[in-house]
Amino acid sequence: MQPPPQDHPPAGTTAPGALRVLVVDDDPTVAEVVAGYLERDGYTVDRAEDGPGALERAGVFRPDLVVLDLMLPGMDGLEVCRRLRVKGPVPVIMLTARGDEDDRILGLEVGADDYVTKPFSPRELVLRVESVLRRSHAARAPESVATLGAAGLWVDLVARRATKGGTELALTLREFDLLAFLLRHPGQAFGREELMREVWGWEFGDLSTVTVHVRRLRGKVEDDPARPRLIQTVWGLGYRLDVPDEEAGPRGAADPSSVRTPPDTHASRRDRVPPRAEG
């Protein structure tokens, strides 16, 4: 493992205009390496070693993104993520030393935007941070069409609000982006790889991420998630948003070809951080 870069400001020092990342990990080696790579790329980094400390530092530091270890003393990463979500929509990337798919899916279900399994490449993690932040900031940018809607669902792209039958939906960042994308393309089927590329901005990753978010979104927009009427599974391909025939007209003035997507990113697999022993 290569040591982190040495020419960077102390953790928590704010550089003018720099985005802020809170790194939460009780393994000092992992925290130091991750912070070093992020600081080298121009981020301002603060650190916490446990769950309560993470919540305290988040309140003071006001991070633009949190890199959060799943296994923490005092309070695990899942509970920290839940409490962060109550306070606001800060993006979260979960770190886990476990390869169990159930742990990864549970992290996504509590609102994490991405996860990285140890051992991992710090350079890959930086690219994931860039991707999540890019999507987060692009989501806040004004669009040529203010609203999209169909079948009682409406999204306000400027205010980042979604409603069903006039009732506001509590959507995570990715759930909102996924719903908006499907509303732009009613009746069109998309594979999970394509959704991962168009909605997440990733060229690689675990496709269960898409599956989990579709399931969560169905739970919020369908009258009966077990028998979805809107978000249909296209067997052997992926998913499609169905709307009643009388609503099949344009949902807005936006030309789908004008929707911007982030540039492709490919991560190096070198400089891997060793997994922490769990006991």
Side-chain angles (χ1 to χ4, degrees):
M1 177 184 66
Q2 293 184 357
Q6 298 300 313
D7 297 329
H8 55 72
T13 302
T14 303
L19 293 172
R20 299 180 298 276
V21 178
L22 176 61
V23 176
V24 186
D25 199 307
D26 64 326
D27 186 324
T29 300
V30 173
E32 182 179 2
V33 171
V34 170
Y37 274 82
L38 288 168
E39 287 168 347
R40 185 182 65 180
D41 271 42
Y43 295 99
T44 296
V45 180
D46 199 1
R47 305 176 196 172
E49 297 179 352
D50 55 31
L55 295 174
E56 179 182 357
R57 292 309 305 157
V60 175
F61 185 58
R62 297 185 179 276
D64 296 289
L65 181 143
V66 179
V67 176
L68 178 62
D69 190 30
L70 176 63
M71 301 298 294
L72 292 171
M75 182 188 305
D76 67 25
L78 296 175
E79 182 60 25
V80 173
C81 188
R82 289 190 187 99
R83 298 194 185 191
L84 288 172
R85 286 301 188 197
V86 171
K87 297 181 179 180
V90 59
V92 174
I93 296 179
M94 195 80 75
L95 300 180
T96 173
R98 300 178 178 178
D100 191 339
E101 182 178 358
D102 290 341
D103 289 322
R104 301 197 301 270
I105 290 177
L106 187 56
L108 294 170
E109 288 184 335
V110 300
D113 297 277
D114 194 3
Y115 68 87
V116 177
T117 303
K118 299 177 182 178
F120 61 88
S121 161
R123 292 172 181 167
E124 177 182 347
L125 177 60
V126 170
L127 290 176
R128 294 292 185 96
V129 168
E130 292 173 353
S131 175
V132 171
L133 284 172
R134 184 168 57 246
R135 298 295 298 181
S136 175
H137 284 269
R140 300 171 193 164
E143 303 218 15
S144 57
V145 173
T147 60
L148 297 166
L153 297 171
W154 288 91
V155 296
D156 184 327
L157 299 171
V158 177
R160 298 286 295 175
R161 295 176 65 246
T163 61
K164 175 187 176 183
T167 301
E168 186 161 359
L169 300 172
L171 302 182
T172 66
L173 171 70
R174 296 299 187 194
E175 291 166 0
F176 184 95
D177 289 343
L178 178 59
L179 178 59
F181 180 82
L182 292 173
L183 284 170
R184 287 191 182 100
H185 308 279
Q188 184 173 343
F190 294 94
R192 291 190 299 169
E193 295 89 345
E194 190 172 7
L195 288 171
M196 178 167 284
R197 182 173 63 251
E198 297 294 337
V199 177
W200 277 258
W202 304 347
E203 288 293 338
F204 60 91
D206 190 334
L207 296 179
S208 66
T209 299
V210 177
T211 305
V212 169
H213 280 80
V214 168
R215 183 171 72 236
R216 286 176 52 85
L217 185 58
R218 279 175 171 161
K220 298 177 181 181
V221 305
E222 299 282 0
D223 294 330
D224 182 0
R227 297 180 178 179
R229 182 177 64 92
L230 301 174
I231 304 176
Q232 299 292 333
T233 297
V234 181
W235 297 108
L237 177 61
Y239 304 99
R240 180 187 67 239
L241 176 68
D242 282 352
V243 298
D245 291 341
E246 61 271 18
E247 298 187 20
R251 300 300 122 198
D255 177 3
S257 65
S258 69
V259 178
R260 297 182 299 274
T261 57
D264 296 345
T265 57
H266 297 278
S268 169
R269 299 295 175 178
R270 299 188 299 273
D271 308 322
R272 294 186 176 273
V273 175
R276 181 186 59 201
E278 296 181 12

